[in-house]
């Protein structure tokens, strides 16, 4: 709960009370410590271990641009078409989201 006084010259001050439910600010996304990516740095193929059956992989460049999203049906991803650089992998499993940094070599 917060009390906020809003005032300006020539106006009657107004007191606002703002209340927020604690449950709405909690972080529900938890990193899965079992997820491993290798090799890192990688060149042609990236292996991913420790994810559950219904995982989705999203790959972002360093500017935050989404490059692709796919469901993980096998434990490897072909990365030969990606230029060298730093990327972020986001692996989503139900309510869990795991973020990993990836370096791709040319």
């Amino acid at each position: 709960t917060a009390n906020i006084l809003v005032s300006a010259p020539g106006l009657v001050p107004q007191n606002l009370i703002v209340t927020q439910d604690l449950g709405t600010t909690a972080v529900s996304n938890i990193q899965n410590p079992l997820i491993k990516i290798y090799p890192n740095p990688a060149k042609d193929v990236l292996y991913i271990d420790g994810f559950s059956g219904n995982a989705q992989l999203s790959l972002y460049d360093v500017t935050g641009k989404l490059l692709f999203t796919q469901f993980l049906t096998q434990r490897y991803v072909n990365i030969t078409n990606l230029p060298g650089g730093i990327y972020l992998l986001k692996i989503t499993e139900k309510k869990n989201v795991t973020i990993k940094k990836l370096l791709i070599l040319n």
Side-chain angles (χ1 to χ4, degrees):
T1 302
N3 292 317
I4 302 170
L5 179 63
V6 180
S7 64
L11 298 176
V12 176
Q14 296 289 318
N15 190 29
L16 302 173
I17 298 173
V18 179
T19 304
Q20 185 174 10
D21 181 13
L22 290 177
T24 60
T25 60
V27 176
S28 62
N29 296 333
I30 300 172
Q31 296 260 352
N32 181 345
L34 300 176
I35 292 182
K36 307 287 184 231
I37 62 169
Y38 60 93
N40 193 6
K43 192 169 187 174
D44 300 319
V45 176
L46 177 69
Y47 293 92
I48 305 168
D49 286 338
F51 61 89
S52 64
N54 246 353
Q56 181 178 344
L57 169 76
S58 300
L59 185 72
Y60 298 86
D61 66 14
V62 291
T63 68
K65 178 182 174 190
L66 176 63
L67 301 176
F68 69 83
T69 298
Q70 71 181 52
F71 284 98
L72 291 172
T73 56
Q74 47 201 9
R75 63 177 208 101
Y76 65 90
V77 177
N78 184 337
I79 56 170
T80 54
N81 294 333
L82 295 172
I86 299 172
Y87 297 86
L88 290 176
L89 287 171
K90 177 176 144 184
I91 300 169
T92 306
E93 313 167 274
K94 296 182 184 174
K95 292 186 179 181
N96 295 338
V97 175
T98 302
I99 307 289
K100 300 281 187 183
K101 277 191 217 176
L102 171 64
L103 176 60
I104 296 180
L105 302 173
N106 285 334

